[in-house]
Amino acid sequence: MEKLFRVYVYEEGEPPLFHDGPCKSIYSMEGRFIYAMESESPFHTRDPEKAHVYFLPFSVTKMLTIVDYVDVIARKYRYWNRSLGADHFILSCHDWAPQASSAKSNLYQNSIRVLCNANTSEGFNPSKDVSLPEINLKTGLTAGIIGGPSASHRPTLAFFAGGLHGPIRPLLLEHWKGKDRDIQVYEYLPRGISYYDMMRKAKFCICPSGYEVASPRVVEAIYLECVPVIISDGYVLPFSDVLNWKSFSIQVAKKDIPNLKEILLGVSQRQYIRMQRRVRLVQRHFVVNSPPKRFDVFHMILHSIWLRRLNIRVNPMAEGT
């Protein structure tokens, strides 16, 4: 892939609606990817004839309708029409991205949509779409939030703290909030207690969906070397083409929330140590680097796009609208 794969980034449009995006906050992957792609990336080609895929560099956080933009691209270039958008991709971490992309039928049905909101019940198609990890870079940097203690220095069985929204979290708090010293579940942490320190003390970090399926807690857990416990319906996990999530995370069905402690205690110490070691091994695939480094999250996203591009046949003679 590194030697062959090339991406053309459409140059139409002006910031901030295009070629720009948030680099801090829960939507930070939008801006980070656009910036990395448009910098001196070896994957970026300025010759569209040499490209394998075509990137539409807009941010859904700043733009709700994309019909006019795609129509401009289709009129000006032949590449959209020859594949009806199948070799084009968008990237967004915003909850609205699936709905925004549905405004253009070929974009929704054909294009590669790289989305944090990778929910199969909302039309996410894992055979053509890419699940984007949701990474909340509050300061824009990962310094201080990567690395954690070994299994023997994690006194808490499981931890969660977060707002009470979506269909899963109310059940989690109803069954476990303030009810068990081993399963430490909070809606709001008491003043003076560090969220990241609590994750470092826990063997398992509970990662339930909120309003949407993705949660930044999954990557936070991986950064802090805490085995993720994923509670979500219809969520296609990032990079699952190549990563075996069952080897380094626990996936719990919504109906099994009352049995959470029993499930986690069923993981032997030996098995847990193996899982935590695997968390450390996959950690580099979720790290945001500037500039990007081999095997990091930027390269993993492009690899996922590359895999889907391999399934697309393009008719070079089809140039009509």
Side-chain angles (χ1 to χ4, degrees), residues 123-173:
F124 184 89
N125 180 357
S127 67
K128 76 169 189 67
D129 297 328
V130 172
S131 179
L132 178 66
E134 190 167 271
I135 303 176
N136 188 2
L137 295 180
K138 297 177 182 179
T139 65
L141 302 171
T142 57
I145 59 171
I146 294 183
S150 64
S152 60
H153 292 86
R154 292 178 177 266
T156 305
L157 179 64
F159 166 72
F160 168 79
L164 189 64
H165 56 79
I168 291 176
R169 295 186 188 185
L171 289 175
L172 178 65
L173 268 69

Side-chain angles (χ1 to χ4, degrees), residues 85-205:
D87 55 355
H88 288 58
F89 74 94
I90 64 170
L91 181 142
S92 178
C93 217
H94 201 286
D95 296 347
W96 298 335
Q99 290 75 25
S101 64
S102 67
K104 187 71 176 178
S105 61
N106 286 336
L107 182 66
Y108 183 85
Q109 296 171 4
N110 300 337
S111 297
I112 301 167
R113 300 179 305 154
V114 185
L115 307 174
C116 284
N117 190 10
N119 189 344
T120 55
S121 70
E122 295 183 7
F124 184 89
N125 180 357
S127 67
K128 76 169 189 67
D129 297 328
V130 172
S131 179
L132 178 66
E134 190 167 271
I135 303 176
N136 188 2
L137 295 180
K138 297 177 182 179
T139 65
L141 302 171
T142 57
I145 59 171
I146 294 183
S150 64
S152 60
H153 292 86
R154 292 178 177 266
T156 305
L157 179 64
F159 166 72
F160 168 79
L164 189 64
H165 56 79
I168 291 176
R169 295 186 188 185
L171 289 175
L172 178 65
L173 268 69
E174 176 187 348
H175 284 281
W176 295 107
K177 180 182 176 182
K179 296 183 179 179
D180 194 297
R181 292 182 63 183
D182 293 328
I183 308 287
Q184 296 195 16
V185 171
Y186 300 84
E187 184 175 359
Y188 301 104
L189 276 175
R191 184 174 296 179
I193 296 180
S194 166
Y195 175 77
Y196 291 141
D197 284 349
M198 292 293 289
M199 294 186 85
R200 289 187 180 98
K201 293 177 182 177
K203 292 182 177 180
F204 297 96
C205 289

